[in-house]
């Protein structure tokens, strides 16, 4: 674990105990600073730019529930150190560089399939789920989505320095 991992764990309230002989310890926070500053995840690409070998999320973020679900998926991918881009429609530039695609809604999946060649479709990992707003209210469907996300993230995850997992 590196310092960034330790900060993330501290942010969510998990205490990490290290053996006494290790030199890598979390520096003590000063008494005046009670909250840690927000860490911007470097693995998330800016909206509208190609995913650069990451995951492309095709979904509608116009409803509050759908936007919250897409934001949660983006945070999960950032925590896993996988680049991702959100898009409302199948854009050829983003599809060309993406290594995986998560389509929220069958219409978006069909549009992405029409924009890609058959060879490119075989090279990518695909996850097709219900619309984001509908999916947000279905616990079983969300559980299936998280399982599929874990499946596509494993080969994409960039290990940190010294992380040989």
């Amino acid at each position: 674990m590196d310092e960034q991992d330790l900060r993330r764990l501290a942010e969510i309230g998990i205490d990490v105990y290290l053996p006494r002989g290790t030199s890598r310890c979390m520096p003590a926070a000063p008494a005046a600073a009670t909250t840690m500053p927000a860490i911007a995840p470097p693995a998330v690409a800016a909206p509208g730019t190609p995913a650069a070998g990451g995951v492309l999320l095709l979904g509608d973020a116009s409803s509050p529930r759908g936007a919250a679900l897409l934001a949660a998926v983006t945070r999960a991918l950032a925590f896993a150190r996988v680049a991702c881009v959100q898009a409302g429609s199948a854009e050829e530039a983003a599809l060309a560089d993406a290594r995986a695609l998560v389509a929220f809604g069958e219409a978006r999946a069909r549009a992405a399939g029409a924009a890609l060649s058959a060879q490119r479709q075989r090279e990518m990992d695909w996850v097709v789920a219900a619309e984001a707003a509908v999916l947000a209210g279905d616990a079983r469907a969300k559980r299936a989505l998280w399982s599929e996300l874990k499946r596509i993230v494993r080969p994409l995850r960039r290990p940190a320095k010294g992380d040989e997992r």
Side-chain angles (χ1 to χ4, degrees), residues 82-95:
V82 173
C84 76
V85 171
Q86 287 185 22
S89 62
E91 300 167 359
E92 289 189 31
L95 285 169

Side-chain angles (χ1 to χ4, degrees), residues 101 124-128 145-156:
L101 172 74
M124 296 175 70
D125 287 324
W126 287 67
V127 175
V128 180
L145 173 66
W146 293 120
S147 295
E148 288 298 309
L149 286 175
K150 285 192 285 188
R151 177 186 60 83
I152 66 171
V153 161
R154 283 184 193 114
L156 298 176

Side-chain angles (χ1 to χ4, degrees), residues 61-76:
S62 63
S63 71
R65 294 179 85 185
L69 181 72
L70 288 171
V73 171
T74 302
R75 280 191 309 272

Side-chain angles (χ1 to χ4, degrees), residues 96-120:
D97 291 337
R99 288 185 51 200
L101 172 74
V102 179
F104 292 95
E106 291 182 22
R108 285 185 181 79
R110 282 193 297 273
L116 293 170
S117 67
Q119 178 184 359
R120 182 71 178 118

